[in-house]
Amino acid sequence: MITLNGSPAEWYEGMTVQELLDRERFTFKMLSVWINDNAVEKSAFATKKIPDQAVVQVIHNISGG
C-alpha cells in the first residue's frame, strides 16, 4: 500500500512511476512526481520503482501569463 496525493492506493512489487500514472489515468503532459519528498526526473518515470509504504505526490504543472 502507498499513499498517493494523500489517499491510500494499491501497490505491487516492482511498480514504476509510469505504471502508477497510467493506472490512475494521469495524462497531463506536464507532471511533477515526488516519492518520499524526493523529486523524480521525468526521464526516469518508466524505470523508477515505487517502494512499499511510499508517499507519492503527483502535481500538475500549470503555467500561464
Side-chain angles (χ1 to χ4, degrees):
M1 185 71 66
I2 61 173
T3 301
L4 174 61
N5 291 349
S7 298
E10 291 296 320
W11 171 88
Y12 59 85
E13 185 71 37
M15 176 184 275
T16 66
V17 170
Q18 190 61 57
E19 290 168 339
L20 176 66
L21 295 175
D22 292 344
R23 184 186 77 192
E24 298 296 324
R25 295 191 171 107
F26 283 102
T27 58
F28 192 70
K29 297 294 181 196
M30 295 173 54
L31 294 174
S32 292
V33 177
W34 296 73
I35 300 174
N36 297 329
D37 294 324
N38 294 303
V40 178
E41 294 289 328
K42 187 170 185 167
S43 62
F45 284 5
T47 58
K48 177 68 175 173
K49 293 187 179 4
I50 301 171
D52 191 17
Q53 303 297 316
V55 176
V56 180
Q57 292 290 318
V58 179
I59 301 166
H60 290 90
N61 299 318
I62 300 174
S63 62

